[in-house]
């Protein structure tokens, strides 16, 4: 079996596993359903992935590997102005959440309450944390020069998470409210994104 065929099969299984985990949660997910959805036999699924636990770990890795490089590039790119990078990071994170609307709810319900699963998630995030120290140093220096207001980077990150994740958690309500008021969901989300950026930028920018 060629390497390309192996990679394609693995990708099909991972995509099916992602849908299964997001729809049914970790405990409700079944490897038999994942195999059927991926178009492979149950034996073949276990050939590529030994267990549901391994599939889950790869699923978490995949989602983290999608967002961390983007945020690392934005936060760590010292060639661009600090304020502009933070603004872009808020925008990129919002778009990522909206592209993965079921992921925040899954993390809240299926990962964070469980120590072992949370440790798996944190082990990926931990590699990103050094950027907060670097960014805080930049903020302190920019504030001393009078370019930005002084702020705590970790608290700012918490604010961004809260603002950007909430619309995905309340997606059904937002959709119903939009339809009932003759509005398009995409327009409401675009406005929400702009409001989030404006709110955070108002805290950062020097008046």
């Amino acid at each position: 079996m060629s390497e390309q065929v192996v990679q394609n099969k693995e990708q099909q299984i991972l995509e099916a596993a992602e849908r299964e985990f997001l729809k049914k949660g970790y405990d409700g997910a079944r490897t038999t359903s994942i195999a059927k959805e991926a178009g492979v036999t149950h034996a073949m699924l276990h050939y590529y992935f030994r267990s549901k636990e391994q599939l889950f770990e790869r699923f978490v890795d995949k989602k983290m590997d999608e967002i961390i490089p983007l945020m690392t590039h934005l936060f760590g790119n010292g060639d661009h102005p600090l304020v502009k990078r933070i603004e872009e990071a808020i925008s990129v994170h919002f778009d990522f959440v909206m592209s993965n609307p079921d992921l925040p709810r899954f993390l809240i319900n299926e990962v964070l309450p469980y120590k072992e699963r949370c440790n798996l998630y944190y082990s990926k995030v931990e590699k990103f944390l050094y950027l907060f120290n670097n960014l805080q140093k930049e903020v302190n220096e920019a504030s001393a020069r009078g370019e930005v207001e002084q702020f705590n980077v970790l608290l700012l990150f918490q604010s961004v998470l809260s603002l950007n994740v909430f619309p995905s958690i309340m997606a059904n309500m937002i959709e119903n409210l939009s339809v009932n008021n003759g509005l398009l969901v995409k327009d409401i989300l675009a406005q929400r994104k702009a409001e989030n950026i404006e709110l955070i930028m108002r805290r950062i920018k020097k008046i």
Side-chain angles (χ1 to χ4, degrees):
M1 190 178 296
S2 71
E3 183 177 349
Q4 185 62 47
V5 171
V6 170
Q7 291 177 348
N8 289 342
K9 289 294 183 184
E10 286 186 351
Q11 184 64 26
Q12 290 171 13
I13 294 170
L14 282 172
E15 290 175 356
E18 178 175 338
R19 292 190 290 270
E20 181 81 358
F21 283 131
L22 291 176
K23 181 180 179 180
K24 300 179 181 178
Y26 179 84
D27 292 333
R30 296 288 179 267
T31 53
T32 50
S33 299
I34 294 171
K36 183 178 179 181
E37 176 74 13
V40 301
T41 65
H42 196 233
M44 183 173 288
L45 181 145
H46 281 282
Y47 171 79
Y48 288 105
F49 302 95
R50 293 189 301 274
S51 63
K52 184 168 75 169
E53 289 78 7
Q54 188 183 63
L55 264 174
F56 176 77
E57 291 179 8
R58 285 290 298 275
F59 163 56
V60 173
D61 282 346
K62 177 177 178 291
K63 303 318 288 184
M64 295 304 296
D65 287 343
E66 289 175 11
I67 187 62
I68 285 181
L70 291 173
M71 303 304 286
T72 300
H73 171 72
L74 290 168
F75 281 140
N77 188 358
D79 294 333
H80 294 280
L82 173 65
V83 172
K84 183 64 176 176
R85 278 154 48 210
I86 293 175
E87 183 175 340
E88 290 177 356
I90 299 169
S91 176
V92 166
H93 181 260
F94 187 93
D95 290 342
F96 175 79
V97 172
M98 291 305 105
S99 298
N100 298 270
D102 296 322
L103 185 60
R105 190 180 297 107
F106 177 84
L107 292 174
I108 291 170
N109 294 331
E110 302 289 338
V111 177
L112 298 182
Y114 303 94
K115 185 177 180 179
E116 288 186 2
R117 299 179 196 172
C118 192
N119 287 343
L120 172 66
Y121 179 74
Y122 184 75
S123 68
K124 299 291 290 186
V125 176
E126 194 173 28
K127 299 174 183 178
F128 174 67
L129 294 182
Y130 76 94
L131 286 174
F132 285 103
N133 294 329
N134 294 345
L135 193 62
Q136 187 65 64
K137 182 179 179 181
E138 276 193 79
V139 169
N140 296 343
E141 293 172 351
S143 175
R145 294 192 298 269
E147 298 171 359
V148 299
E149 295 288 349
Q150 180 66 39
F151 61 89
N152 184 298
V153 170
L154 285 175
L155 291 180
L156 181 80
F157 184 68
Q158 291 175 37
S159 297
V160 172
L161 281 179
S162 300
L163 289 168
N164 283 352
V165 167
F166 183 78
S168 72
I169 295 176
M170 301 297 293
N172 291 335
M173 180 179 291
I174 291 173
E175 184 173 359
N176 289 335
L177 289 173
S178 300
V179 171
N180 291 336
N181 288 277
L183 302 171
L184 296 176
V185 174
K186 67 179 183 66
D187 292 336
I188 291 295
L189 292 178
Q191 292 176 31
R192 180 69 268 163
K193 176 181 174 180
E195 289 281 349
N196 290 355
I197 292 173
E198 181 181 352
L199 183 62
I200 296 295
M201 288 300 102
R202 195 181 301 158
R203 170 66 181 87
I204 291 173
K205 291 180 178 178
K206 196 76 174 179
I207 299 176

